[in-house]
Amino acid sequence: MIGWNEKSKTLDEAINFSKDNIFEYLHFILHNRNADDRGNDANEVIDKFYEKVQTLAELTENSSNTYMEVEELAETAFNEISDYSYDAGFREACRLWHTLNSF
């Protein structure tokens, strides 16, 4: 039986939140829920970017390889930017909340 010998834990113990890892947990949760991490405006710009890359790639000998390499680099960059922006924005929101609660 699951949980038969399991010791009761507080929520903090169960998920092991700390000041150092809370943003990792939140990012993991949002990623697993397939949250829209870029938005419609950014996705439109990204689509235009890929169209331009495809046009330029067709001018090279290995057009499919060139396109795939550039697409992979761009996706990596977009994901890193999105992650950083989310983390930075969330931290600023927490600071603001803490500041407002101190009044």
Side-chain angles (χ1 to χ4, degrees):
M1 216 161 113
I2 296 174
W4 180 255
N5 293 324
E6 196 170 322
K7 180 183 167 189
S8 178
K9 296 179 183 178
T10 67
L11 182 60
D12 285 344
E13 290 172 334
I15 55 180
N16 195 22
F17 276 165
S18 72
K19 290 180 181 179
D20 298 326
N21 68 7
I22 188 154
F23 296 106
E24 292 173 28
Y25 277 107
L26 291 172
H27 177 73
F28 177 77
I29 291 166
L30 286 175
H31 180 73
N32 283 342
R33 294 189 71 198
N34 294 318
D36 183 10
D37 59 349
R38 294 182 183 161
N40 291 334
D41 293 340
N43 285 330
E44 287 178 23
V45 172
I46 290 168
D47 290 342
K48 289 177 185 176
F49 172 78
Y50 286 143
E51 288 173 15
K52 183 60 109 176
V53 169
Q54 181 65 40
T55 302
L56 294 172
E58 289 171 359
L59 301 175
T60 65
E61 283 182 32
N62 298 324
S63 63
S64 61
N65 288 343
T66 301
Y67 179 80
M68 289 174 58
E69 288 174 17
V70 173
E71 182 184 33
E72 185 177 338
L73 286 171
E75 280 296 318
T76 301
F78 296 146
N79 290 334
E80 290 295 324
I81 291 166
S82 177
D83 291 349
Y84 176 82
S85 298
Y86 174 79
D87 291 347
F90 191 82
R91 281 190 171 93
E92 288 305 312
C94 290
R95 285 188 190 117
L96 176 60
W97 181 255
H98 181 71
T99 301
L100 291 173
N101 281 328
S102 69
F103 290 125

XYZ file of all heavy atoms in Angstrom:
853
model
N 0.830 -1.180 0.000
C 0.000 0.000 0.000
C 0.878 1.248 0.000
O 1.769 1.382 0.831
C -0.875 -0.020 1.253
C -2.228 0.519 1.023
S -3.325 -0.039 2.346
C -3.631 1.497 3.110
N 0.638 2.148 -0.925
C 1.443 3.365 -1.022
C 1.149 4.257 0.175
O -0.001 4.503 0.518
C 1.138 4.108 -2.331
C 1.552 3.242 -3.517
C 1.844 5.449 -2.373
C 1.170 3.810 -4.854
N 2.209 4.752 0.779
C 2.067 5.673 1.891
C 1.860 5.025 3.242
O 1.709 5.705 4.232
N 1.870 3.694 3.294
C 1.611 2.985 4.539
C 2.613 3.362 5.628
O 2.230 3.659 6.747
C 1.635 1.485 4.283
C 1.381 0.666 5.506
C 2.311 -0.027 6.210
C 0.143 0.463 6.165
N 1.733 -0.665 7.272
C 0.376 -0.372 7.265
C -1.157 0.904 5.946
C -0.622 -0.770 8.125
C -2.143 0.503 6.803
C -1.874 -0.327 7.886
N 3.892 3.371 5.299
C 4.933 3.709 6.272
C 5.482 5.118 6.067
O 6.525 5.459 6.605
C 6.087 2.711 6.185
C 5.663 1.339 6.639
O 4.860 1.217 7.561
N 6.187 0.317 5.985
N 4.801 5.906 5.280
C 5.294 7.235 4.942
C 5.062 8.198 6.101
O 3.976 8.244 6.694
C 4.584 7.752 3.693
C 5.294 8.920 3.061
C 4.691 9.236 1.704
O 4.326 8.304 0.982
O 4.588 10.427 1.397
N 6.099 8.963 6.416
C 6.022 9.951 7.485
C 5.396 11.239 6.934
O 5.698 11.660 5.828
C 7.438 10.235 7.999
C 7.507 11.237 9.109
C 8.952 11.502 9.494
C 9.035 12.726 10.364
N 10.416 13.138 10.581
N 4.533 11.855 7.702
C 3.895 13.104 7.305
C 4.944 14.219 7.230
O 5.820 14.316 8.095
C 2.813 13.464 8.319
O 2.225 14.682 7.961
N 4.849 15.033 6.183
C 5.799 16.135 5.988
C 5.037 17.433 5.781
O 3.907 17.426 5.312
C 6.652 15.886 4.738
C 7.529 14.685 4.795
C 8.301 14.553 3.491
C 9.149 13.310 3.480
N 9.868 13.156 2.217
N 5.702 18.522 6.136
C 5.139 19.832 5.797
C 5.319 20.029 4.293
O 6.092 19.321 3.642
C 5.863 20.961 6.542
O 7.204 21.048 6.071
C 5.840 20.750 8.046
N 4.616 21.018 3.757
C 4.731 21.305 2.325
C 6.170 21.665 1.956
O 6.706 21.197 0.956
C 3.779 22.440 1.939
C 3.755 22.813 0.460
C 3.337 21.622 -0.382
C 2.814 23.978 0.234
N 6.810 22.480 2.791
C 8.198 22.864 2.515
C 9.124 21.653 2.487
O 10.014 21.563 1.656
C 8.702 23.868 3.554
C 8.130 25.254 3.341
O 7.606 25.515 2.235
O 8.207 26.080 4.269
N 8.914 20.719 3.395
C 9.734 19.514 3.409
C 9.461 18.643 2.186
O 10.374 18.071 1.608
C 9.468 18.699 4.672
C 9.987 19.335 5.933
C 9.523 18.585 7.178
O 8.465 17.926 7.142
O 10.247 18.672 8.190
N 8.208 18.577 1.794
C 7.825 17.715 0.672
C 8.409 18.196 -0.642
O 8.866 17.403 -1.454
C 6.310 17.635 0.567
N 8.424 19.511 -0.845
C 8.943 20.013 -2.114
C 10.299 20.683 -1.969
O 10.900 21.061 -2.956
C 7.934 20.958 -2.782
C 7.535 22.085 -1.847
C 6.725 20.201 -3.250
C 6.553 23.057 -2.450
N 10.767 20.810 -0.743
C 12.106 21.307 -0.470
C 12.371 22.681 -1.071
O 13.404 22.912 -1.698
C 13.150 20.287 -0.955
C 14.523 20.574 -0.393
O 14.655 21.234 0.628
N 15.536 20.096 -1.071
N 11.421 23.602 -0.930
C 11.637 24.965 -1.419
C 12.697 25.654 -0.585
O 12.789 25.466 0.625
C 10.360 25.792 -1.309
C 9.422 25.620 -2.459
C 8.129 26.049 -2.344
C 9.813 25.057 -3.657
C 7.228 25.912 -3.389
C 8.939 24.916 -4.710
C 7.642 25.343 -4.571
N 13.469 26.457 -1.249
C 14.422 27.323 -0.565
C 14.565 28.595 -1.383
O 14.095 28.670 -2.520
C 15.784 26.640 -0.422
O 16.433 26.566 -1.673
N 15.210 29.595 -0.823
C 15.422 30.833 -1.570
C 16.253 30.579 -2.818
O 16.145 31.293 -3.799
C 16.129 31.865 -0.689
C 15.259 32.409 0.420
C 16.010 33.424 1.247
C 15.140 33.951 2.365
N 15.824 34.927 3.208
N 17.086 29.560 -2.786
C 17.975 29.278 -3.905
C 17.321 28.491 -5.035
O 17.723 28.614 -6.182
C 19.209 28.500 -3.424
C 20.028 29.303 -2.435
O 20.093 30.540 -2.584
O 20.597 28.685 -1.520
N 16.306 27.672 -4.727
C 15.764 26.810 -5.777
C 14.305 27.065 -6.142
O 13.761 26.373 -6.999
C 15.946 25.340 -5.402
C 15.094 24.918 -4.231
O 14.259 25.662 -3.753
N 15.314 23.706 -3.763
N 13.665 28.048 -5.578
C 12.252 28.259 -5.862
C 12.018 28.600 -7.338
O 11.063 28.160 -7.956
C 11.612 29.326 -4.955
C 10.097 29.335 -5.187
C 12.218 30.692 -5.170
C 9.277 29.805 -4.069
N 12.943 29.358 -7.940
C 12.750 29.729 -9.332
C 12.927 28.525 -10.256
O 12.270 28.434 -11.285
C 13.699 30.861 -9.710
C 13.404 32.113 -8.930
C 14.229 32.511 -7.905
C 12.267 32.865 -9.208
C 13.942 33.644 -7.170
C 11.974 33.993 -8.472
C 12.812 34.399 -7.454
N 13.786 27.599 -9.870
C 13.928 26.361 -10.644
C 12.625 25.568 -10.606
O 12.174 25.043 -11.624
C 15.065 25.514 -10.088
C 16.432 26.118 -10.291
C 17.511 25.332 -9.566
O 17.331 24.107 -9.384
O 18.512 25.948 -9.175
N 11.994 25.468 -9.434
C 10.715 24.765 -9.310
C 9.632 25.429 -10.159
O 8.891 24.769 -10.876
C 10.243 24.716 -7.855
C 10.848 23.601 -7.054
C 11.813 23.848 -6.098
C 10.431 22.295 -7.249
C 12.364 22.819 -5.352
C 10.973 21.255 -6.503
C 11.940 21.528 -5.566
O 12.472 20.509 -4.832
N 9.545 26.749 -10.071
C 8.520 27.459 -10.831
C 8.729 27.303 -12.330
O 7.773 27.100 -13.079
C 8.507 28.931 -10.434
C 8.006 29.201 -9.018
C 8.226 30.659 -8.650
C 6.543 28.832 -8.890
N 9.973 27.397 -12.760
C 10.268 27.208 -14.182
C 9.883 25.794 -14.620
O 9.272 25.612 -15.675
C 11.746 27.473 -14.462
C 12.117 27.233 -15.882
N 11.744 28.088 -16.882
C 12.782 26.221 -16.470
C 12.174 27.612 -18.032
N 12.810 26.482 -17.808
N 10.205 24.818 -13.821
C 9.869 23.428 -14.126
C 8.352 23.246 -14.241
O 7.852 22.624 -15.177
C 10.445 22.509 -13.050
C 10.090 21.061 -13.239
C 10.742 20.298 -14.192
C 9.094 20.478 -12.469
C 10.411 18.958 -14.375
C 8.758 19.143 -12.649
C 9.417 18.377 -13.602
N 7.619 23.829 -13.294
C 6.161 23.716 -13.302
C 5.576 24.367 -14.553
O 4.728 23.792 -15.234
C 5.560 24.338 -12.022
C 5.927 23.483 -10.803
C 4.051 24.499 -12.141
C 5.668 24.171 -9.481
N 6.025 25.581 -14.873
C 5.506 26.260 -16.059
C 5.859 25.504 -17.329
O 5.045 25.385 -18.248
C 6.055 27.682 -16.136
C 5.440 28.669 -15.149
C 6.158 30.001 -15.233
C 3.965 28.858 -15.438
N 7.075 24.996 -17.399
C 7.499 24.247 -18.580
C 6.626 23.016 -18.776
O 6.209 22.707 -19.890
C 8.970 23.851 -18.452
C 9.482 23.085 -19.618
N 9.723 23.671 -20.830
C 9.777 21.777 -19.766
C 10.154 22.752 -21.677
N 10.206 21.589 -21.052
N 6.331 22.321 -17.688
C 5.503 21.115 -17.776
C 4.048 21.416 -18.112
O 3.344 20.558 -18.623
C 5.582 20.308 -16.482
C 6.881 19.542 -16.395
O 7.552 19.333 -17.388
N 7.231 19.144 -15.195
N 3.595 22.612 -17.827
C 2.222 22.995 -18.167
C 2.152 23.609 -19.555
O 1.109 24.084 -19.980
C 1.684 23.989 -17.143
C 1.542 23.356 -15.758
C 0.825 24.259 -14.822
N -0.577 24.300 -15.224
C -1.417 25.243 -14.836
N -1.017 26.211 -14.050
N -2.669 25.224 -15.224
N 3.286 23.637 -20.272
C 3.361 24.210 -21.617
C 2.896 25.656 -21.640
O 2.137 26.080 -22.515
C 2.553 23.378 -22.622
C 3.145 22.011 -22.804
O 4.351 21.866 -22.893
N 2.288 21.008 -22.847
N 3.352 26.419 -20.675
C 2.987 27.829 -20.607
C 3.554 28.565 -21.816
O 4.630 28.237 -22.313
C 3.534 28.442 -19.320
N 2.811 29.555 -22.289
C 3.277 30.375 -23.409
C 4.380 31.280 -22.879
O 4.120 32.224 -22.146
C 2.120 31.196 -23.965
C 2.523 32.012 -25.173
O 3.637 31.813 -25.697
O 1.724 32.862 -25.603
N 5.602 30.968 -23.233
C 6.724 31.702 -22.667
C 7.241 32.809 -23.566
O 8.201 33.479 -23.224
C 7.864 30.746 -22.306
C 8.365 29.962 -23.499
O 7.720 29.996 -24.558
O 9.423 29.309 -23.368
N 6.610 33.016 -24.726
C 7.083 34.068 -25.629
C 5.999 35.080 -25.954
O 6.282 36.243 -26.101
C 7.614 33.447 -26.914
C 8.856 32.627 -26.680
C 9.378 32.074 -27.959
N 10.521 31.225 -27.706
C 10.957 30.333 -28.556
N 10.361 30.161 -29.712
N 12.004 29.604 -28.262
N 4.805 34.646 -26.157
C 3.722 35.551 -26.514
C 3.526 35.647 -28.016
O 4.409 35.311 -28.806
N 2.354 36.116 -28.405
C 1.998 36.180 -29.816
C 2.884 37.123 -30.616
O 3.275 36.809 -31.741
C 0.530 36.595 -29.976
C -0.413 35.515 -29.509
O -0.076 34.334 -29.523
N -1.600 35.910 -29.084
N 3.189 38.304 -30.060
C 4.019 39.270 -30.790
C 5.401 38.705 -31.081
O 5.916 38.817 -32.195
C 4.145 40.580 -30.012
C 2.815 41.320 -29.914
O 1.920 41.033 -30.738
O 2.688 42.180 -29.030
N 5.989 38.080 -30.073
C 7.318 37.496 -30.268
C 7.262 36.346 -31.267
O 8.151 36.210 -32.116
C 7.892 37.014 -28.942
N 6.222 35.540 -31.205
C 6.103 34.418 -32.152
C 5.973 34.897 -33.592
O 6.514 34.272 -34.505
C 4.923 33.516 -31.777
C 5.233 32.644 -30.581
O 6.375 32.262 -30.348
N 4.214 32.330 -29.805
N 5.294 36.011 -33.812
C 5.193 36.573 -35.164
C 6.568 37.017 -35.669
O 6.912 36.774 -36.824
C 4.211 37.741 -35.179
C 2.763 37.314 -35.051
C 1.804 38.494 -35.021
O 2.169 39.583 -35.520
O 0.688 38.318 -34.506
N 7.333 37.663 -34.806
C 8.677 38.106 -35.192
C 9.567 36.900 -35.467
O 10.332 36.879 -36.441
C 9.298 39.007 -34.101
C 10.753 39.319 -34.404
C 8.492 40.286 -33.959
N 9.464 35.874 -34.646
C 10.266 34.657 -34.823
C 9.918 33.989 -36.149
O 10.811 33.544 -36.882
C 10.066 33.697 -33.629
C 10.710 34.281 -32.384
C 10.640 32.322 -33.933
C 10.335 33.574 -31.092
N 8.630 33.935 -36.484
C 8.223 33.347 -37.769
C 8.822 34.116 -38.936
O 9.315 33.521 -39.906
C 6.706 33.307 -37.892
C 6.062 32.291 -36.965
O 6.788 31.385 -36.472
O 4.844 32.407 -36.722
N 8.811 35.449 -38.867
C 9.422 36.273 -39.929
C 10.923 36.024 -40.005
O 11.503 35.962 -41.087
C 9.133 37.751 -39.688
C 7.699 38.138 -39.920
C 7.462 39.598 -39.605
C 5.991 39.948 -39.719
N 5.721 41.341 -39.333
N 11.544 35.878 -38.843
C 12.977 35.599 -38.795
C 13.290 34.285 -39.512
O 14.198 34.211 -40.332
C 13.438 35.548 -37.330
C 14.852 35.094 -37.150
C 15.911 35.957 -37.389
C 15.127 33.800 -36.741
C 17.221 35.533 -37.225
C 16.431 33.367 -36.578
C 17.481 34.235 -36.816
N 12.502 33.237 -39.221
C 12.726 31.933 -39.849
C 12.470 31.972 -41.352
O 13.145 31.292 -42.120
C 11.880 30.844 -39.194
C 12.409 30.428 -37.832
C 11.544 30.109 -36.813
C 13.775 30.358 -37.578
C 12.020 29.725 -35.559
C 14.259 29.974 -36.342
C 13.379 29.666 -35.337
O 13.851 29.285 -34.116
N 11.493 32.765 -41.785
C 11.261 32.919 -43.223
C 12.483 33.523 -43.897
O 12.901 33.091 -44.973
C 10.033 33.795 -43.473
C 8.717 33.129 -43.143
C 7.540 34.085 -43.234
O 7.684 35.182 -43.825
O 6.466 33.740 -42.708
N 13.067 34.532 -43.262
C 14.258 35.186 -43.813
C 15.441 34.224 -43.827
O 16.194 34.158 -44.807
C 14.589 36.437 -42.989
C 15.761 37.221 -43.514
C 15.523 37.706 -44.924
C 15.312 39.180 -44.933
N 15.168 39.706 -46.293
N 15.602 33.460 -42.757
C 16.686 32.476 -42.693
C 16.512 31.438 -43.792
O 17.481 31.059 -44.462
C 16.737 31.799 -41.301
C 17.655 30.598 -41.300
C 17.164 32.798 -40.247
N 15.276 30.985 -44.017
C 15.012 30.002 -45.069
C 15.387 30.576 -46.432
O 16.012 29.894 -47.249
C 13.541 29.578 -45.056
C 13.198 28.534 -46.102
C 13.899 27.208 -45.875
O 14.017 26.761 -44.750
N 14.375 26.594 -46.941
N 15.030 31.825 -46.679
C 15.368 32.476 -47.946
C 16.873 32.551 -48.129
O 17.394 32.236 -49.211
C 14.765 33.899 -47.991
O 13.350 33.794 -47.829
C 15.082 34.593 -49.297
N 17.579 32.945 -47.088
C 19.041 33.044 -47.177
C 19.693 31.670 -47.281
O 20.689 31.498 -47.990
C 19.590 33.799 -45.966
C 19.188 35.268 -45.872
C 19.634 35.857 -44.539
C 19.780 36.062 -47.033
N 19.143 30.690 -46.594
C 19.707 29.337 -46.616
C 19.603 28.723 -48.011
O 20.468 27.948 -48.419
C 19.000 28.448 -45.598
N 18.539 29.077 -48.728
C 18.364 28.536 -50.077
C 19.462 28.990 -51.032
O 19.665 28.387 -52.083
C 16.984 28.915 -50.613
C 15.870 28.170 -49.906
C 14.483 28.671 -50.253
O 14.368 29.632 -51.049
O 13.507 28.108 -49.730
N 20.195 30.035 -50.670
C 21.295 30.527 -51.496
C 22.581 29.733 -51.290
O 23.541 29.916 -52.027
C 21.560 32.009 -51.202
C 20.391 32.968 -51.444
C 20.762 34.373 -50.986
C 19.991 32.972 -52.915
N 22.615 28.864 -50.289
C 23.816 28.086 -50.003
C 23.676 26.668 -50.554
O 22.587 26.235 -50.914
C 24.077 28.006 -48.481
O 23.027 27.280 -47.877
C 24.179 29.392 -47.867
N 24.809 25.962 -50.620
C 24.809 24.586 -51.137
C 23.987 23.644 -50.257
O 23.200 22.861 -50.740
C 26.245 24.063 -51.236
C 27.009 24.585 -52.414
C 28.402 23.979 -52.481
O 28.575 22.818 -52.067
O 29.291 24.678 -52.947
N 24.226 23.675 -48.980
C 23.538 22.785 -48.033
C 22.420 23.552 -47.346
O 22.457 23.783 -46.143
C 24.520 22.244 -46.990
C 25.608 21.409 -47.609
O 25.356 20.694 -48.572
N 26.808 21.505 -47.077
N 21.407 23.925 -48.110
C 20.365 24.798 -47.562
C 19.651 24.198 -46.352
O 19.414 24.891 -45.380
C 19.347 25.173 -48.636
O 18.678 24.023 -49.103
N 19.340 22.904 -46.384
C 18.621 22.332 -45.244
C 19.507 22.270 -44.005
O 19.049 22.531 -42.894
C 18.068 20.945 -45.583
O 19.123 20.062 -45.898
N 20.788 21.935 -44.189
C 21.706 21.908 -43.039
C 21.902 23.303 -42.463
O 21.901 23.480 -41.239
C 23.058 21.321 -43.431
C 23.002 19.830 -43.654
O 22.066 19.166 -43.233
N 24.003 19.292 -44.333
N 22.075 24.281 -43.343
C 22.278 25.661 -42.888
C 21.056 26.138 -42.113
O 21.187 26.706 -41.028
C 22.534 26.595 -44.086
O 23.688 26.142 -44.787
C 22.742 28.027 -43.633
N 19.876 25.893 -42.668
C 18.644 26.315 -42.005
C 18.509 25.657 -40.640
O 18.197 26.316 -39.646
C 17.426 25.987 -42.875
C 16.128 26.371 -42.222
C 15.694 27.684 -42.241
C 15.355 25.418 -41.556
C 14.507 28.054 -41.629
C 14.169 25.784 -40.944
C 13.750 27.100 -40.985
O 12.591 27.463 -40.364
N 18.756 24.353 -40.568
C 18.606 23.636 -39.305
C 19.601 24.119 -38.257
O 19.260 24.246 -37.072
C 18.730 22.129 -39.531
C 17.530 21.551 -40.262
S 17.685 19.810 -40.702
C 17.947 19.047 -39.136
N 20.839 24.417 -38.665
C 21.851 24.908 -37.727
C 21.449 26.267 -37.170
O 21.533 26.509 -35.957
C 23.207 24.995 -38.403
C 23.849 23.654 -38.677
C 25.133 23.770 -39.489
O 25.696 24.884 -39.576
O 25.559 22.746 -40.034
N 21.015 27.161 -38.057
C 20.623 28.500 -37.612
C 19.365 28.423 -36.759
O 19.250 29.103 -35.734
C 20.422 29.445 -38.821
C 19.842 30.778 -38.384
C 21.742 29.658 -39.552
N 18.411 27.588 -37.146
C 17.181 27.428 -36.373
C 17.495 26.920 -34.971
O 16.940 27.414 -33.977
C 16.228 26.470 -37.076
C 14.915 26.299 -36.330
C 14.006 25.270 -36.973
O 14.506 24.289 -37.544
O 12.792 25.454 -36.868
N 18.385 25.957 -34.854
C 18.741 25.417 -33.540
C 19.397 26.476 -32.662
O 19.071 26.611 -31.477
C 19.670 24.216 -33.699
C 19.983 23.536 -32.387
C 20.853 22.298 -32.558
O 20.885 21.724 -33.666
O 21.503 21.926 -31.571
N 20.325 27.237 -33.242
C 20.968 28.310 -32.480
C 19.954 29.370 -32.049
O 19.984 29.838 -30.908
C 22.077 28.967 -33.312
C 23.353 28.168 -33.481
C 24.272 28.842 -34.500
C 24.076 28.034 -32.148
N 19.057 29.737 -32.960
C 18.059 30.753 -32.631
C 17.123 30.259 -31.538
O 16.825 30.997 -30.586
C 17.278 31.127 -33.883
N 16.658 29.025 -31.644
C 15.760 28.477 -30.615
C 16.440 28.444 -29.254
O 15.824 28.764 -28.238
C 15.283 27.078 -31.003
C 14.157 27.057 -31.988
C 12.879 27.681 -31.460
O 12.498 27.451 -30.293
O 12.244 28.421 -32.223
N 17.704 28.064 -29.235
C 18.449 28.053 -27.979
C 18.522 29.455 -27.395
O 18.275 29.661 -26.201
C 19.862 27.486 -28.194
O 19.751 26.149 -28.704
C 20.662 27.469 -26.902
N 18.833 30.431 -28.251
C 18.908 31.816 -27.785
C 17.555 32.313 -27.293
O 17.454 32.923 -26.222
C 19.424 32.721 -28.907
N 16.481 32.035 -28.057
C 15.143 32.475 -27.650
C 14.742 31.860 -26.319
O 14.158 32.531 -25.461
C 14.108 32.115 -28.717
C 14.305 32.805 -30.037
C 13.981 32.150 -31.219
C 14.820 34.089 -30.126
C 14.154 32.761 -32.450
C 14.998 34.711 -31.354
C 14.664 34.052 -32.518
N 15.040 30.595 -26.126
C 14.700 29.928 -24.871
C 15.481 30.498 -23.698
O 14.936 30.684 -22.608
C 14.915 28.424 -24.983
C 13.901 27.757 -25.882
O 12.795 28.249 -26.050
N 14.279 26.647 -26.475
N 16.763 30.764 -23.904
C 17.578 31.352 -22.838
C 17.064 32.746 -22.471
O 16.979 33.094 -21.294
C 19.046 31.435 -23.262
C 19.742 30.101 -23.356
C 19.869 29.407 -22.015
O 20.069 30.083 -20.985
O 19.768 28.167 -21.991
N 16.705 33.530 -23.482
C 16.166 34.874 -23.241
C 14.851 34.785 -22.475
O 14.622 35.527 -21.523
C 15.978 35.629 -24.571
C 17.345 35.967 -25.174
C 15.150 36.896 -24.382
C 17.291 36.409 -26.621
N 13.991 33.876 -22.882
C 12.707 33.697 -22.214
C 12.897 33.288 -20.760
O 12.254 33.841 -19.864
C 11.881 32.642 -22.953
O 10.673 32.411 -22.293
N 13.774 32.327 -20.525
C 14.046 31.873 -19.156
C 14.566 33.010 -18.295
O 14.115 33.219 -17.163
C 15.054 30.729 -19.148
C 14.500 29.446 -19.731
O 13.268 29.375 -19.955
O 15.305 28.526 -19.980
N 15.541 33.750 -18.831
C 16.133 34.852 -18.074
C 15.080 35.922 -17.770
O 14.987 36.412 -16.648
C 17.302 35.468 -18.849
C 17.879 36.662 -18.146
C 18.791 36.497 -17.104
C 17.514 37.954 -18.498
C 19.315 37.588 -16.436
C 18.024 39.047 -17.841
C 18.930 38.865 -16.816
O 19.435 39.947 -16.156
N 14.269 36.263 -18.767
C 13.247 37.298 -18.577
C 12.231 36.885 -17.528
O 11.833 37.687 -16.686
C 12.538 37.578 -19.899
O 13.447 38.065 -20.845
N 11.797 35.623 -17.591
C 10.836 35.149 -16.606
C 11.427 35.222 -15.206
O 10.799 35.748 -14.281
C 10.403 33.709 -16.908
C 9.533 33.158 -15.813
C 8.190 33.492 -15.740
C 10.075 32.355 -14.815
C 7.396 33.025 -14.717
C 9.275 31.891 -13.784
C 7.947 32.224 -13.741
O 7.177 31.779 -12.710
N 12.639 34.698 -15.052
C 13.286 34.702 -13.733
C 13.464 36.119 -13.209
O 13.169 36.410 -12.046
C 14.636 33.984 -13.785
C 14.498 32.493 -13.994
O 13.375 31.962 -13.852
O 15.521 31.852 -14.319
N 13.955 37.012 -14.062
C 14.191 38.389 -13.640
C 12.879 39.081 -13.282
O 12.789 39.777 -12.266
C 14.922 39.158 -14.743
N 11.856 38.892 -14.105
C 10.560 39.504 -13.829
C 9.934 38.984 -12.556
O 9.363 39.743 -11.766
N 10.052 37.675 -12.335
C 9.472 37.099 -11.130
C 10.205 37.597 -9.890
O 9.581 37.920 -8.873
C 9.499 35.572 -11.191
C 8.683 34.941 -10.114
C 7.313 34.811 -10.262
C 9.270 34.497 -8.945
C 6.546 34.236 -9.263
C 8.511 33.927 -7.936
C 7.138 33.800 -8.095
N 11.512 37.683 -9.978
C 12.279 38.194 -8.822
C 11.890 39.640 -8.508
O 11.731 40.013 -7.347
C 13.778 38.101 -9.111
C 14.328 36.731 -8.933
C 15.861 36.727 -8.990
N 16.356 35.433 -8.616
C 16.625 34.448 -9.458
N 16.473 34.631 -10.747
N 17.057 33.285 -9.022
N 11.728 40.455 -9.546
C 11.331 41.849 -9.325
C 9.929 41.919 -8.730
O 9.665 42.758 -7.866
C 11.410 42.645 -10.625
C 12.830 42.914 -11.080
C 13.666 43.612 -10.007
O 13.204 44.609 -9.410
O 14.797 43.148 -9.755
N 9.028 41.045 -9.170
C 7.676 41.012 -8.603
C 7.732 40.641 -7.123
O 7.016 41.228 -6.299
C 6.801 40.030 -9.375
N 8.588 39.687 -6.777
C 8.742 39.302 -5.364
C 9.303 40.451 -4.544
O 8.843 40.697 -3.423
C 9.651 38.075 -5.243
S 8.904 36.567 -5.863
N 10.272 41.170 -5.084
C 10.834 42.332 -4.365
C 9.770 43.404 -4.164
O 9.681 44.010 -3.095
C 12.020 42.904 -5.142
C 13.250 42.074 -5.041
C 14.447 42.785 -5.674
N 15.537 41.858 -5.770
C 16.092 41.443 -6.897
N 15.690 41.925 -8.043
N 17.061 40.568 -6.893
N 8.980 43.655 -5.209
C 7.921 44.651 -5.113
C 6.899 44.226 -4.059
O 6.486 45.029 -3.225
C 7.234 44.838 -6.467
C 6.036 45.775 -6.495
C 6.438 47.184 -6.060
C 5.414 45.802 -7.884
N 6.496 42.963 -4.089
C 5.532 42.448 -3.110
C 6.077 42.598 -1.692
O 5.367 43.028 -0.782
C 5.215 40.986 -3.428
C 4.212 40.384 -2.499
C 4.453 39.501 -1.494
C 2.817 40.641 -2.473
N 3.289 39.176 -0.858
C 2.255 39.874 -1.444
C 1.978 41.438 -3.233
C 0.911 39.892 -1.148
C 0.624 41.451 -2.930
C 0.120 40.675 -1.896
N 7.338 42.264 -1.517
C 7.969 42.382 -0.204
C 8.004 43.848 0.236
O 7.712 44.183 1.389
C 9.373 41.797 -0.251
C 10.088 41.849 1.059
N 9.743 41.059 2.129
C 11.131 42.623 1.474
C 10.533 41.341 3.148
N 11.379 42.278 2.778
N 8.328 44.744 -0.685
C 8.388 46.163 -0.372
C 7.006 46.687 0.007
O 6.851 47.405 0.986
C 8.932 46.965 -1.568
O 10.235 46.483 -1.883
C 9.003 48.447 -1.266
N 5.990 46.327 -0.766
C 4.629 46.794 -0.480
C 4.136 46.251 0.852
O 3.422 46.960 1.587
C 3.684 46.364 -1.605
C 3.898 47.055 -2.942
C 3.020 46.423 -4.014
C 3.655 48.544 -2.843
N 4.498 45.035 1.200
C 4.075 44.464 2.476
C 4.798 45.088 3.656
O 4.365 44.939 4.795
C 4.270 42.952 2.489
C 3.176 42.240 1.751
O 2.051 42.682 1.729
N 3.523 41.132 1.116
N 5.904 45.761 3.405
C 6.646 46.375 4.510
C 6.057 47.711 4.949
O 6.438 48.243 5.977
C 8.118 46.556 4.120
O 8.237 47.555 3.116
N 5.122 48.232 4.162
C 4.503 49.535 4.525
C 3.440 49.366 5.579
O 2.688 48.537 5.714
C 3.900 50.223 3.312
C 4.938 50.731 2.358
C 4.907 50.339 1.031
C 5.954 51.565 2.777
C 5.853 50.818 0.133
C 6.896 52.033 1.876
C 6.845 51.651 0.559
